[in-house]
Amino acid sequence: MMPVIFVGHGNPMYAIAENEFTRTWQQLGQILPKPQAIVVISAHWETVGTYITAMARPRTIHDFYGFPQALFDVQYNAAGNPQLARRIADKLQQTNVQADENWGLDHGAWSVLRHIYPEANVPTIQLSLDTTKAVSEHYNLAKELQFLRNNGVLIVGSGNIVHNLRLADFNKTSGDDWAIAANETLKKLVLADDHESLINYERLGKNIGLAIPTPEHYLPLLYILALKNKGETTEIFNDAVELGSLSMTSFKFG
């Protein structure tokens, strides 16, 4: 049974940085069981319909702008796994999953994975976020991925549970009061296994509304929550809010 992890991926520059967050990602690579493959649900691949990367050699996508050339020079050359992509598409009964030959690995995936598995020696595929699905539908889709955990596949959600770039202050190393409060609320609900409240996050008040102005960075957490089995442990890592309005808080289940 493989663990599942949600990673607050933060600033794209962390792909090439050495700091407290990236050192924790590096430590993860040392303590996690070596997976047969990785499936990433990233905040940065939104689609109409559900897609899965099915190419043998996914490209490294530099889906950002205004950063140093050194970041654009990074290539994360992990292989894909077309057979696993087909298996997932065949296995999911409630969702029509379509094969994608164009996307690759976006920075929500490779900026973290290049620290966890720097040799890029684990086949990696991505599952998209269907913008037409309700939050509960994303959660229920994730439930159907449980079989992967029994077959040596590491499932990674990559986003941020507090993510409001409009309120960000890039000179701040800590969080604003509302962001810290929202982060604490969401952590408590995760630790309490209160999935219903986390699915219905829009009912949780003003701070959560500021923390999740749009759902794409939050939804990867729900995929990982849905895969947690009863009685499994919860570990929190990189538990910090920075830039005023960005949470790096991350979770490992199992």
Side-chain angles (χ1 to χ4, degrees):
M1 176 69 69
M2 290 294 294
V4 289
I5 58 174
F6 170 81
V7 180
H9 63 243
N11 189 330
M13 283 298 293
Y14 292 166
I16 57 175
E18 180 75 19
N19 57 36
E20 60 179 310
F21 306 123
T22 63
R23 284 190 288 272
T24 302
W25 296 341
Q26 293 159 15
Q27 291 165 9
L28 267 179
Q30 297 169 13
I31 65 174
L32 289 170
K34 180 71 178 291
Q36 298 295 314
I38 300 169
V39 174
V40 180
I41 300 95
S42 165
H44 294 281
W45 192 22
E46 294 184 278
T47 55
V48 176
T50 301
Y51 290 82
I52 196 163
T53 55
M55 67 288 287
R57 288 289 168 184
R59 64 193 176 101
T60 303
I61 303 172
H62 300 89
D63 49 334
F64 40 70
Y65 59 90
F67 289 93
Q69 185 60 43
L71 188 57
F72 290 90
D73 290 342
V74 174
Q75 295 293 315
Y76 189 73
N77 296 318
N81 192 325
Q83 295 81 9
L84 179 61
R86 285 195 296 271
R87 186 179 177 197
I88 292 171
D90 291 343
K91 189 82 170 177
L92 298 190
Q93 298 297 313
Q94 300 179 40
T95 302
N96 177 29
V97 180
Q98 302 176 66
D100 175 88
E101 298 281 351
N102 299 310
W103 187 248
L105 301 178
D106 61 54
H107 84 269
W110 63 261
S111 67
V112 175
L113 291 180
R114 77 182 304 262
H115 290 285
I116 301 176
Y117 299 110
E119 296 180 3
N121 56 358
V122 182
T124 303
I125 62 179
Q126 282 195 222
L127 182 69
S128 74
L129 294 171
D130 181 357
T131 59
T132 70
K133 285 188 181 298
V135 175
S136 60
E137 292 177 307
H138 285 283
Y139 181 87
N140 291 333
L141 185 163
K143 287 282 189 188
E144 293 192 76
L145 299 174
Q146 184 67 237
F147 75 98
L148 295 170
R149 295 189 64 190
N150 299 321
N151 288 275
V153 177
L154 177 66
I155 303 173
V156 178
S158 178
N160 301 94
I161 62 173
V162 176
H163 184 271
N164 191 325
L165 293 184
R166 289 190 176 186
L167 298 180
D169 181 344
F170 289 88
N171 295 312
K172 274 193 171 182
T173 57
S174 60
D176 293 334
D177 289 345
W178 68 263
I180 293 170
N183 196 59
E184 289 302 310
T185 295
L186 294 170
K187 275 168 46 185
K188 288 176 182 177
L189 292 171
V190 170
L191 290 169
D193 289 326
D194 189 349
H195 293 194
E196 182 176 355
S197 292
L198 290 161
I199 291 168
N200 296 293
Y201 68 89
E202 292 174 319
R203 303 174 186 172
L204 294 175
K206 181 180 177 180
N207 287 340
I208 302 302
L210 290 172
I212 312 170
T214 56
E216 77 287 343
H217 277 76
Y218 178 75
L219 288 172
L221 171 66
L222 293 183
Y223 277 75
I224 302 310
L225 280 174
L227 290 162
K228 183 185 179 186
N229 293 317
K230 186 175 181 179
E232 282 192 313
T233 58
T234 299
E235 296 179 32
I236 300 177
F237 60 97
N238 282 352
D239 186 16
V241 182
E242 60 171 11
L243 308 183
S245 60
L246 187 71
S247 168
M248 296 297 294
T249 300
S250 306
F251 304 93
K252 172 179 172 287
F253 303 134

